[in-house]
Amino acid sequence: MMDTRYLQRHLGSCLVECLAEVAEKRPLDPIEYISNWLYKYIENVEYKKQMAAESVKLTEEQEEYAKQAKIEEIKKAEAETIRLEEESMKEAEMAKQKRSEDLANLPGAPPANLTTVDEEEN
């Protein structure tokens, strides 16, 4: 009775599968076949656990990669925005400089080499 409960608790369905295979294949030495089958079953269970752990790790790495790719995409977009703003500022500065040069070339405009005089506050 104790042996039966022990086998059900610790071997459960794997022993049922094993005995079904022994009945189907009818090996010459069934005891050795069962022992080898159970060892192989344990290896298979460990392999499945390892594969499941690797699958979880792979999923986590893929999620981390996706996060990093999104961050890189945001950084590139920000860099492009900054570059466009700098180009816009340079163009505005060049337009301002061109306007002042055009104004300096008009008749009656003061010479371009005049210096700015600061007024004193009293």
Side-chain angles (χ1 to χ4, degrees):
M1 195 68 155
M2 287 291 261
D3 294 338
T4 306
R5 277 190 251 146
Y6 174 82
L7 291 175
Q8 285 177 342
R9 184 178 310 129
H10 295 286
L11 297 175
S13 65
C14 76
L15 187 58
V16 171
E17 290 177 40
C18 178
L19 293 175
E21 194 169 316
V22 167
E24 180 183 316
K25 294 191 178 188
R26 299 200 182 272
L28 293 175
D29 188 0
I31 303 296
E32 184 179 349
Y33 186 87
I34 290 171
S35 67
N36 289 332
W37 193 94
L38 291 173
Y39 281 122
K40 184 64 176 169
Y41 180 83
I42 291 170
E43 288 177 13
N44 290 341
V45 168
E46 292 297 322
Y47 179 76
K48 286 178 184 177
K49 285 181 185 178
Q50 182 182 5
M51 288 288 114
E54 287 178 9
S55 176
V56 168
K57 184 178 178 183
L58 178 63
T59 302
E60 290 172 354
E61 288 175 354
Q62 288 173 338
E63 289 172 357
E64 182 64 27
Y65 177 78
K67 287 179 187 177
Q68 291 298 327
K70 189 173 183 179
I71 289 171
E72 288 298 319
E73 185 179 315
I74 291 170
K75 285 181 180 180
K76 285 180 182 178
E78 288 176 352
E80 182 66 17
T81 302
I82 290 170
R83 186 186 65 80
L84 291 173
E85 287 176 359
E86 288 175 351
E87 283 181 8
S88 174
M89 289 173 56
K90 285 179 183 177
E91 288 175 1
E93 184 66 33
M94 289 174 63
K96 181 179 175 184
Q97 185 178 6
K98 183 164 175 42
R99 252 188 322 230
S100 64
E101 288 174 0
D102 289 344
L103 289 175
N105 292 334
L106 291 175
N113 59 356
L114 289 179
T115 58
T116 304
V117 177
D118 293 328
E119 294 184 19
E120 292 181 14
E121 293 184 26
N122 288 337

